[in-house]
C-alpha cells in the first residue's frame, strides 16, 4: 500500500555515485587470479593464437605431415629391391666314409702292378714260371695283409668359418593389383589428413568463438548488473534523504534497500561467472594475462546467402562430408586389394656372390596360394559391405548437416528480429524509468514502480546481450556445418553490423 504526503514546493537534489571504469573494477575482482596489467585481445588475434599454438592444432599438423611422408615413402613401391647381404658362419660336420671300395681297388691295383713287373722280369731273365708264381703268391699275401690293416670305414670331421658377401635383387612382375592398391591407399590417406587438419582447425575456430564471446557475454551481464547496482544504490541514497526529510516512510526506503541488496548479489554472481569464463579463455589460449576483449558481441542485420544456397553448396565445403568421401574411396581400394590377394604373384630374383668364387643365380618365380586357412572370398565380401556402409553413413551425415543448417539459419533470423524488437523495448524502458523516477519524486508513483522500471531496463540490457550471443553462436554453428567457419571474421566487421557495448 503506497502512502501519499503533501509535499511543500522545494527543489530536491538527487545524487548519483560516479561509475568507475570497467577495467579498474575488473582488476580489483580478478586480482587474486590474474596480474593487474591488462592484455587486450581481439577475436582475430585469439583465433590466430589458437590456430598456431594450441595442442590440437599441432597434433593435427603432425599427423598430416606423417601421412604425407608415408605416401611419399611408397611412391617407389614395385621397383626392384636390392639388398647387400653378408653371411658370417662357422660349421662342424661329421661324415662316415665307407672304405671297402677303396680297399678293393687298391688291392687290385697293387696286385696287378706287381704281377706285371714279375712277368716282365721273368721274360727278361728266363726264370722258370714255378718260381715266379710262388713269388706272386707271396707278394699277393703281403699286399692283402697290408690292405687288411685299413679299416672298412672312416669318420671325417669338417670344421670351417666362412664370411660370404652377396648382392641380391628382387623385383615383383605381377602382384594382381596389390602394389597399385597400396600406393592408392597411401595417397588417399595423405589427402584425408589434409582434410582432417582443416576440420580440426574449424573445430578450434568454433571453440574459440564459443569461449571468446561467452566471456564477452559475461562481461556485458556484469556491466548490466553493475549499472543496476549503482542505480539502485543511488535510489537507496535518495530514499534515505527523503525518509530523513519525512517525505517517504521507512517501508518505502526499505524497499529500495532490498532492491539494492538483490542488485549487489546479482553483480557478485556476475563477477564469479566472468572470472570463470576468463580463466577458461586464458587456458584455451595458453595464457594468463588476457583481461580485456576488444571485439564486442554483434548482430548482422542482413545476410548475403539464402538457406537454399547454403543447402546446395555445403557438400563442397564441409570437411566432414569430404572426409567421409575419402573413407569411401579407401574402402573401394580395399576391395581391390582383397581381390588381388586371390591372384598369383610373379617375381624375378637374382643373387651374386662378392667373394673369390663369384657365384651367381638368376630366375623367375611364381606363387599361388592354394590354402592358408583364410577365406579370401569372404574378405572381399566384407570389404564390399564396409564400402556400402560408408556410402550410407555419408548420406545420413548429410541429412544431419542439412537439419543443423536449417535450424541454425532460422535461429539466426530469429535473433535478428529479436534484436530489432529489443532495441525498441529498450527505448521504451528508458523512457518508462525516467517517467517513474519523476513520478516518485513528485509523489505520484511508488518505490515499487521505480524499482520495477529499473529492473526492467537492466533485464533488457541483459537480454540484448544474451540475444547477441545467441546470434553469434547460431552464425558459428551455421558456418561450421556449412564448412565455411573460416569466413566468420568477415561477419564481425560488416557494414550492416550492430555491436553490443
Amino acid at each position: 500500500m503506497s502512502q501519499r504526503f503533501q509535499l511543500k514546493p522545494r527543489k530536491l537534489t538527487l545524487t548519483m555515485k560516479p561509475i568507475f571504469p570497467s577495467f579498474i573494477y575488473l582488476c580489483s575482482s580478478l586480482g587474486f587470479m590474474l596480474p593487474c596489467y591488462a592484455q587486450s585481445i581481439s577475436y582475430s588475434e585469439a583465433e590466430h593464437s589458437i590456430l598456431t599454438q594450441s595442442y590440437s592444432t599441432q597434433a593435427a599438423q603432425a599427423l598430416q605431415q606423417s601421412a604425407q611422408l608415408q605416401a611419399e615413402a611408397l611412391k617407389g613401391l614395385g621397383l626392384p629391391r636390392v639388398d647387400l647381404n653378408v653371411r658370417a658362419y662357422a660349421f662342424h660336420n661329421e661324415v662316415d666314409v665307407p672304405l671297402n671300395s677303396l680297399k678293393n681297388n687298391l688291392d687290385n691295383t697293387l696286385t696287378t702292378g706287381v704281377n706285371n713287373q714279375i712277368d716282365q722280369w721273368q721274360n727278361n731273365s728266363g726264370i722258370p714260371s714255378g718260381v715266379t708264381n710262388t713269388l706272386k703268391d707271396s707278394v699277393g699275401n703281403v699286399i692283402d695283409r697290408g690292405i687288411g690293416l685299413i679299416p672298412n670305414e672312416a669318420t671325417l670331421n669338417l670344421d670351417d668359418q666362412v664370411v660370404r658377401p652377396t648382392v641380391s635383387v628382387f623385383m615383383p612382375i605381377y602382384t594382381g593389383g596389390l602394389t597399385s592398391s597400396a600406393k592408392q591407399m597411401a595417397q588417399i590417406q595423405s589427402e584425408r589428413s589434409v582434410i582432417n587438419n582443416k576440420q580440426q582447425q574449424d573445430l578450434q575456430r568454433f571453440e574459440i568463438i564459443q569461449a571468446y564471446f561467452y566471456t564477452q557475454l559475461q562481461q556485458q551481464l556484469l556491466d548490466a548488473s553493475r549499472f543496476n547496482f549503482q542505480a539502485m544504490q543511488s535510489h537507496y541514497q535518495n530514499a534515505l534523504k527523503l525518509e530523513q526529510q519525512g517525505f517517504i516512510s521507512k517501508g518505502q526506503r526499505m524497499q529500495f534497500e532490498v532492491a539494492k541488496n538483490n542488485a549487489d548479489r546479482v553483480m557478485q554472481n556476475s563477477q564469479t561467472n566472468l572470472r570463470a569464463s576468463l580463466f577458461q579463455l586464458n587456458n584455451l589460449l595458453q595464457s594468463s594475462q588476457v583481461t580485456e576483449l576488444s571485439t564486442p558481441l554483434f548482430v548482422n542485420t542482413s545476410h548475403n546467402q539464402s538457406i537454399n544456397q547454403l543447402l546446395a553448396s555445403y557438400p563442397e565445403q564441409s570437411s566432414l562430408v569430404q572426409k567421409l568421401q575419402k573413407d569411401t574411396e579407401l574402402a573401394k581400394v580395399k576391395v581391390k586389394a582383397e581381390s588381388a590377394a586371390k591372384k598369383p604373384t610373379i617375381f624375378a630374383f637374382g643373387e651374386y656372390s662378392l667373394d673369390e668364387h663369384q657365384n651367381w643365380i638368376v630366375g623367375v618365380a611364381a606363387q599361388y596360394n592354394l590354402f592358408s586357412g583364410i577365406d579370401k572370398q569372404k574378405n572381399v565380401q566384407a570389404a564390399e559391405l564396409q564400402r556400402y556402409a560408408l556410402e550410407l553413413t555419408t548420406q545420413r551425415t548429410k541429412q544431419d548437416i542439412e537439419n543443423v543448417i536449417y535450424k541454425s539459419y532460422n535461429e539466426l533470423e530469429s535473433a535478428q528480429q529479436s534484436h530489432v524488437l529489443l532495441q525498441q523495448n529498450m527505448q521504451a524502458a528508458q523512457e518508462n524509468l525516467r517517467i517513474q523516477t519523476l513520478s516518485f519524486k513528485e509523489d505520484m508513483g511508488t518505490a515499487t514502480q521505480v524499482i520495477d522500471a529499473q529492473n526492467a531496463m537492466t533485464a533488457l540490457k541483459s537480454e540484448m546481450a544474451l540475444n547477441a550471443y545467441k546470434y553469434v553462436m547460431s552464425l558459428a554453428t551455421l558456418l561450421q556445418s556449412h564448412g565455411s567457419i573460416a569466413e566468420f571474421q568477415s561477419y564481425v566487421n560488416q557494414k550492416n553490423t550492430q555491436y553490443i557495448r
Side-chain angles (χ1 to χ4, degrees), residues 109-127:
T109 301
L110 290 176
T111 301
T112 302
V114 171
N115 288 340
N116 290 336
Q117 290 294 326
I118 292 175
D119 290 340
Q120 184 179 1
W121 175 62
Q122 177 188 1
N123 294 331
N124 293 334
S125 302
I127 299 173

Side-chain angles (χ1 to χ4, degrees), residues 200-259:
Q200 182 61 43
Q201 289 181 347
D202 290 347
L203 290 174
Q204 293 284 287
R205 287 188 177 94
F206 186 85
E207 188 175 7
I208 194 62
I209 290 172
Q210 188 175 32
Y212 186 94
F213 288 101
Y214 181 77
T215 303
Q216 193 66 277
L217 170 64
Q218 296 304 321
Q219 179 66 63
Q220 292 297 318
L221 294 179
L222 175 60
D223 291 344
S225 62
R226 184 188 299 122
F227 176 82
N228 189 50
F229 169 72
Q230 292 170 347
M232 289 300 181
Q233 195 172 36
S234 177
H235 289 316
Y236 174 69
Q237 294 296 332
N238 291 329
L240 280 176
K241 292 179 181 179
L242 292 174
E243 181 188 14
Q244 292 170 359
Q245 296 171 2
F247 293 118
I248 63 173
S249 67
K250 180 180 179 180
Q252 288 179 305
R253 188 266 303 167
M254 291 184 66
Q255 285 181 298
F256 285 105
E257 183 175 1
V258 171

Side-chain angles (χ1 to χ4, degrees), residues 328-390:
T328 304
E329 291 181 22
L330 275 175
K332 291 179 180 178
V333 177
K334 187 177 180 181
V335 173
K336 294 181 180 179
E338 293 294 345
S339 299
K342 298 166 54 179
K343 301 176 182 180
T345 58
I346 302 174
F347 56 91
F349 65 93
E351 187 173 72
Y352 179 78
S353 176
L354 300 178
D355 58 12
E356 66 277 6
H357 302 292
Q358 296 183 350
N359 298 323
W360 57 270
I361 182 175
V362 294
V364 177
Q367 183 181 18
Y368 182 75
N369 178 253
L370 296 177
F371 179 77
S372 65
I374 299 175
D375 193 332
K376 297 179 182 179
Q377 182 59 35
K378 289 185 178 178
N379 276 343
V380 174
Q381 294 175 355
E384 285 282 2
L385 289 173
Q386 290 176 358
R387 177 196 58 78
Y388 179 63
L390 280 170

Side-chain angles (χ1 to χ4, degrees), residues 25-216:
Y25 202 98
L26 182 61
C27 258
S28 64
S29 64
L30 300 177
F32 72 93
M33 183 184 70
L34 299 174
C36 284
Y37 55 90
Q39 177 181 342
S40 178
I41 187 172
S42 65
Y43 168 74
S44 61
E45 293 171 338
E47 180 184 291
H48 179 267
S49 176
I50 197 172
L51 290 181
T52 56
Q53 301 178 11
S54 71
Y55 301 123
S56 299
T57 297
Q58 295 179 48
Q61 291 174 350
L63 291 174
Q64 177 182 344
Q65 294 174 3
S66 173
Q68 291 174 344
L69 290 174
Q70 288 177 348
E72 293 175 2
L74 292 180
K75 285 183 178 180
L77 190 64
L79 296 177
R81 171 176 172 173
V82 181
D83 296 318
L84 175 63
N85 313 303
V86 178
R87 301 182 183 93
Y89 56 91
F91 66 88
H92 169 78
N93 192 15
E94 293 184 359
V95 180
D96 291 332
V97 181
L99 301 178
N100 291 327
S101 301
L102 176 65
K103 288 169 64 177
N104 292 333
N105 291 335
L106 183 60
D107 187 8
N108 293 332
T109 301
L110 290 176
T111 301
T112 302
V114 171
N115 288 340
N116 290 336
Q117 290 294 326
I118 292 175
D119 290 340
Q120 184 179 1
W121 175 62
Q122 177 188 1
N123 294 331
N124 293 334
S125 302
I127 299 173
S129 60
V131 175
T132 56
N133 289 335
T134 302
L135 181 59
K136 288 180 181 180
D137 292 338
S138 299
V139 173
N141 292 332
V142 173
I143 292 174
D144 289 339
R145 286 194 300 269
I147 292 178
L149 296 175
I150 299 174
N152 293 329
E153 63 179 20
T155 301
L156 299 180
N157 294 325
L158 302 178
D159 296 278
D160 198 359
Q161 293 181 350
V162 179
V163 176
R164 180 169 296 170
T166 61
V167 174
S168 61
V169 179
F170 178 89
M171 179 177 177
I173 299 175
Y174 175 76
T175 61
L178 282 174
T179 301
S180 59
S181 296
K183 289 182 179 180
Q184 289 178 6
M185 285 183 181
Q187 182 61 34
I188 294 174
Q189 287 283 11
S190 177
E191 296 171 356
R192 185 183 185 277
S193 68
V194 175
I195 298 173
N196 188 71
N197 187 29
K198 179 181 179 298
Q199 184 184 30
Q200 182 61 43
Q201 289 181 347
D202 290 347
L203 290 174
Q204 293 284 287
R205 287 188 177 94
F206 186 85
E207 188 175 7
I208 194 62
I209 290 172
Q210 188 175 32
Y212 186 94
F213 288 101
Y214 181 77
T215 303
Q216 193 66 277

Side-chain angles (χ1 to χ4, degrees), residues 283-295:
N283 196 24
L284 189 62
L285 296 175
Q286 301 177 27
S287 174
S288 60
Q289 300 177 3
V290 175
T291 56
E292 288 186 350
L293 308 181
S294 59
T295 304

Side-chain angles (χ1 to χ4, degrees), residues 305-473:
Q305 290 183 308
S306 66
I307 183 63
N308 292 330
Q309 291 174 326
L310 293 170
L311 290 174
S313 60
Y314 82 88
E316 291 76 24
Q317 298 286 336
S318 173
S319 299
L320 179 56
V321 173
Q322 293 174 4
K323 190 164 71 170
L324 286 172
Q325 290 172 345
K326 288 298 177 183
D327 289 339
T328 304
E329 291 181 22
L330 275 175
K332 291 179 180 178
V333 177
K334 187 177 180 181
V335 173
K336 294 181 180 179
E338 293 294 345
S339 299
K342 298 166 54 179
K343 301 176 182 180
T345 58
I346 302 174
F347 56 91
F349 65 93
E351 187 173 72
Y352 179 78
S353 176
L354 300 178
D355 58 12
E356 66 277 6
H357 302 292
Q358 296 183 350
N359 298 323
W360 57 270
I361 182 175
V362 294
V364 177
Q367 183 181 18
Y368 182 75
N369 178 253
L370 296 177
F371 179 77
S372 65
I374 299 175
D375 193 332
K376 297 179 182 179
Q377 182 59 35
K378 289 185 178 178
N379 276 343
V380 174
Q381 294 175 355
E384 285 282 2
L385 289 173
Q386 290 176 358
R387 177 196 58 78
Y388 179 63
L390 280 170
E391 290 178 350
L392 295 178
T393 301
T394 302
Q395 296 303 319
R396 175 57 184 171
T397 302
K398 287 183 178 180
Q399 289 179 330
D400 293 338
I401 292 175
E402 290 170 358
N403 290 335
V404 174
I405 289 176
Y406 190 84
K407 180 181 178 183
S408 300
Y409 190 87
N410 283 279
E411 290 178 348
L412 183 141
E413 286 190 328
S414 175
Q416 289 175 327
Q417 296 169 1
S418 296
H419 180 72
V420 175
L421 296 176
L422 286 170
Q423 285 180 316
Q424 297 173 358
N425 289 345
M426 177 60 70
Q427 295 176 354
Q430 291 173 342
E431 179 63 18
N432 180 54
L433 176 61
R434 186 186 68 82
I435 293 173
Q436 295 301 330
T437 302
L438 290 175
S439 297
F440 179 76
K441 287 192 296 183
E442 298 296 333
D443 197 26
M444 299 295 293
T446 64
T448 301
Q449 291 172 328
V450 176
I451 294 171
D452 289 344
Q454 181 66 51
N455 287 335
M457 192 176 70
T458 301
L460 277 173
K461 287 185 176 181
S462 299
E463 192 172 352
M464 287 186 70
L466 286 168
N467 184 71
Y469 178 72
K470 176 185 176 183
Y471 173 83
V472 169
M473 292 312 302

